[in-house]
Amino acid sequence: MKKYVLVFLFLLAATIFALPEIVEKWMYASYYAKRIMIEIGLKTRFRYEEVYKWGADKMVLVHEPINVNWVRLGQSCYMGSGTTLKRSPMLILDLEDLAFKEILQGRDLKIEEINEGYEIHIHDTGEYRVLLSSDGFPKEIERNYMDTKSKLIYEEVKPLSADKNEVLKDYTLVDSGVEFPKELMDILSNFRFLIIREGISGLEIEGIYKNGQKVEVFIGNDLPKGGLQININGLKITIVADEKTLEEIKVILGQ
């Protein structure tokens, strides 16, 4: 997952090339929705979420299988398990944002008008299939990548009239987040998806590595046994993954 400023890409697209009208409606739409995220690969996983979207800005409330909330405002991201959200050291992107990224980078794009909406295919290192309503709201987003199928299924999508301040009024955004060392950032940059949350003994990161394998990173004092145990500038870290993935991570760390 590469760090980049989504807002900048939105502006860049507007100045360099014209987007198809339905794609532009989708990107700049403001909506509220309930959605289900399903991932099918070596294992099957799901998440049940609510999402608020204001153009390039977004808030996602994950209800199952864990509770975590995250907000992206411009290039600033915040995350937490309650109403106090701390600054994330990494930009947080969901499957919809990854599709936007491919479109704005000029990937091969095919649009077909279907009953009550549009079907969009995006071709990059993976294959995207997007179903949109006629007014540009997402109905389904699917990605096939490295033998893993990820799908967002949207329910109850409706225009969002409430502004960000109204929705975020019950949340506290704290800018003093955790600064990760470069070595850890180098590892996390190879994740396709990750969730950062507070754990019992410190910080926990759970995500899907670029090879499709689940990786868990524990930062703190009372860490689980097993996995790869490392110490970076006094920061104790345990990385739990399959043997092959751990070997790839050791290469990144120069071990």
Side-chain angles (χ1 to χ4, degrees), residues 53-254:
K53 179 179 177 294
W54 304 272
D57 293 337
K58 182 176 288 184
M59 180 175 192
V60 175
L61 310 177
V62 182
H63 298 298
E64 294 288 348
I66 59 174
N67 291 318
V68 63
N69 305 321
W70 62 267
V71 177
R72 188 183 65 241
L73 303 174
Q75 55 185 312
S76 299
C77 297
Y78 303 85
M79 177 172 285
S81 57
T83 57
T84 298
L85 310 181
K86 295 183 178 181
R87 182 74 173 265
S88 168
M90 298 192 70
L91 192 65
I92 304 171
L93 307 175
D94 61 12
L95 192 63
E96 181 183 47
D97 300 321
L98 293 175
F100 290 159
K101 175 184 174 183
E102 299 302 333
I103 293 171
L104 296 175
Q105 290 182 338
R107 304 301 189 194
D108 183 24
L109 182 67
K110 295 182 180 179
I111 303 175
E112 179 183 355
E113 192 167 358
I114 59 175
N115 292 335
E116 300 181 352
Y118 296 83
E119 182 171 292
I120 298 174
H121 291 269
I122 310 164
H123 303 276
D124 69 323
T125 51
E127 299 288 326
Y128 288 84
R129 174 178 170 268
V130 181
L131 297 180
L132 300 178
S133 64
S134 57
D135 49 10
F137 292 146
K139 299 167 68 175
E140 190 174 295
I141 302 172
E142 180 181 298
R143 185 191 190 199
N144 289 293
Y145 179 71
M146 296 186 68
D147 300 321
T148 298
K149 177 182 288 187
S150 303
K151 181 181 289 189
L152 273 177
I153 302 171
Y154 287 77
E155 302 174 345
E156 299 183 34
V157 186
K158 56 187 179 183
L160 181 58
S161 57
D163 63 24
K164 284 172 277 191
N165 292 333
E166 183 178 347
V167 174
L168 294 172
K169 65 182 180 181
D170 295 325
Y171 293 84
T172 301
L173 306 184
V174 180
D175 280 308
S176 57
V178 177
E179 293 295 331
F180 289 166
K182 179 182 181 301
E183 294 88 342
L184 183 55
M185 292 296 293
D186 289 342
I187 296 171
L188 297 180
S189 67
N190 288 281
F191 278 62
R192 288 161 40 199
F193 169 82
L194 59 82
I195 290 177
I196 306 173
R197 62 177 182 265
E198 291 186 56
I200 297 175
S201 60
L203 205 61
E204 297 179 3
I205 302 171
E206 179 181 329
I208 305 301
Y209 202 65
K210 63 182 180 181
N211 61 5
Q213 297 299 311
K214 178 182 178 181
V215 177
E216 294 176 286
V217 181
F218 300 88
I219 305 170
N221 293 316
D222 186 18
L223 301 177
K225 300 186 183 300
L228 176 63
Q229 309 278 336
I230 58 178
N231 189 311
I232 303 175
N233 299 328
L235 193 65
K236 296 180 181 179
I237 301 172
T238 295
I239 303 174
V240 178
D242 67 281
E243 185 176 347
K244 183 177 179 180
T245 303
L246 287 179
E247 290 301 319
E248 292 185 25
I249 290 174
K250 288 180 181 178
V251 172
I252 295 174
L253 292 171

